[in-house]
Amino acid sequence: MVFESYTEMCNKAADIVAEQITLKSHSVLGLPTGLTPVKMYEILIEKNKNGEIDFSDVKTFNLDEYYPVSPIDKHSYRYFMNETFFKKINIKMENTCILNGQAEDAEKECDMYQKLIEKSGGIDLLILGIGRNGHIGFNEPDEYLLSYTHKTRLLQETIEVNSKLFDDVSEVPEYALTMGIGTIMQAKRIILLASGKSKYKALRELMAGKITTLNPSTLLNVHPCVTVLCDRDAYEGGKEK
Ligand code: PGA
């Protein structure tokens, strides 16, 4: 679905989240970080304040986290989620799950996270952003992609794009922990959000219906229930967000 503005796109995403929670109060949500979902989180906070959504039984799993990073580091995705969203809604903090970026044993942490998602009954609704190189979560373009939650090395292009939130590019962690493609594919419903001209190429490839690991988002073409929400700039390659 194409929207004239970023805000309209985020309104629709928030409506879908609200419908999901209304239908099932114990919903399990998969959540993204990044700039794209920020407005959606703001709208959800408003909906929670005015009594439209109750997050008290909702459980969340974030897609990814830098590695290594402390959860109290302001660059961590745990910090981002707490400050942008979780502290502002009536969710129970213990129901918000994010990979531990300072786990000593990354493999064990990923394994535990994967099992925790499965034990929670799987993700009902997963919201995804998309990287300009087509990454989803931190599943970067590669010859091979991994199915389960794993530690990954970030591509230089991702480090550079993400450095806008750091003082210097050298501060961006080289690694991350991320849900794998299989973990993402097991979500019952997926919404992908794309905003701004920089996402045009990756989005075009996804919408062309061909599948390549060199644009991980294209694997979503085999998922039975994906909704792509984008603004006109992402759809037509217009102006930068
Ligand atoms: P962005 O990040 O929302 O900040 O563009 C998306 C992503 O890299 O997945």
Side-chain angles (χ1 to χ4, degrees):
M1 299 170 88
V2 188
F3 296 87
E4 288 312 313
S5 71
Y6 166 69
T7 303
E8 282 173 51
M9 177 191 82
C10 290
N11 260 314
K12 179 66 184 174
D15 283 347
I16 295 173
V17 174
E19 280 161 27
Q20 171 65 40
I21 297 172
T22 307
L23 281 172
K24 183 178 174 189
S25 58
H26 285 77
S27 286
V28 178
L29 303 180
L31 298 177
T33 47
L35 296 179
T36 310
V38 168
K39 186 79 193 169
M40 175 191 76
Y41 288 136
E42 283 171 18
I43 300 165
L44 288 172
I45 292 164
E46 272 315 301
K47 285 185 187 294
N48 184 228
K49 279 205 184 106
N50 67 27
E52 232 181 288
I53 323 181
D54 178 8
F55 286 96
S56 57
D57 291 326
V58 170
K59 190 163 182 143
T60 65
F61 287 92
N62 263 78
L63 274 163
D64 47 20
E65 176 61 285
Y66 286 121
Y67 189 84
V69 74
S70 155
I72 56 171
D73 184 318
K74 69 179 191 335
H75 299 301
S76 76
Y77 287 167
R78 165 54 81 183
Y79 183 91
F80 174 92
M81 288 307 295
N82 284 356
E83 300 304 316
T84 311
F85 192 41
F86 296 147
K87 281 186 182 172
K88 300 177 177 173
I89 55 170
N90 72 330
I91 198 162
K92 297 185 184 89
M93 265 310 172
E94 67 268 26
N95 285 343
T96 67
C97 308
I98 301 188
L99 283 149
N100 178 3
Q102 61 177 12
E104 259 177 52
D105 185 336
E107 206 176 307
K108 205 163 142 197
E109 171 64 17
C110 291
D111 198 41
M112 266 170 42
Y113 198 70
Q114 181 75 33
K115 292 200 170 99
L116 199 58
I117 295 173
E118 285 161 19
K119 217 176 115 203
S120 304
I123 295 169
D124 294 301
L125 175 63
L126 172 62
I127 324 285
L128 293 175
I130 180 171
R132 47 187 84 182
N133 65 6
H135 71 206
I136 45 177
F138 273 133
N139 294 280
E140 299 274 42
D142 204 346
E143 192 179 350
Y144 299 98
L145 299 177
L146 289 171
S147 181
Y148 292 103
T149 304
H150 60 280
K151 179 179 160 190
T152 187
R153 192 188 189 108
L154 300 179
L155 292 180
Q156 191 55 32
E157 58 196 25
T158 296
I159 291 177
E160 273 158 29
V161 170
N162 288 13
S163 70
K164 57 184 183 265
L165 298 176
F166 289 78
D167 292 333
D168 189 82
V169 67
S170 64
E171 288 175 20
V172 184
E174 271 178 66
Y175 293 90
L177 308 180
T178 183
M179 284 186 195
I181 291 295
T183 327
I184 290 171
M185 288 301 204
Q186 278 160 15
K188 292 166 197 136
R189 182 174 183 193
I190 297 176
I191 296 175
L192 181 134
L193 303 177
S195 169
K197 181 181 154 190
S198 65
K199 306 297 172 70
Y200 171 71
K201 184 172 169 284
L203 187 63
R204 275 286 129 184
E205 288 171 4
L206 162 62
M207 292 192 313
K210 292 182 189 159
I211 295 167
T212 167
T213 58
L214 299 178
N215 176 340
S217 76
T218 62
L219 276 92
L220 296 172
N221 280 306
V222 295
H223 190 282
C225 193
V226 177
T227 309
V228 174
L229 306 182
C230 65
D231 61 15
R232 194 153 291 285
D233 292 340
Y235 189 71
E236 286 177 357
K239 64 178 188 306
E240 193 57 73
K241 198 179 103 191

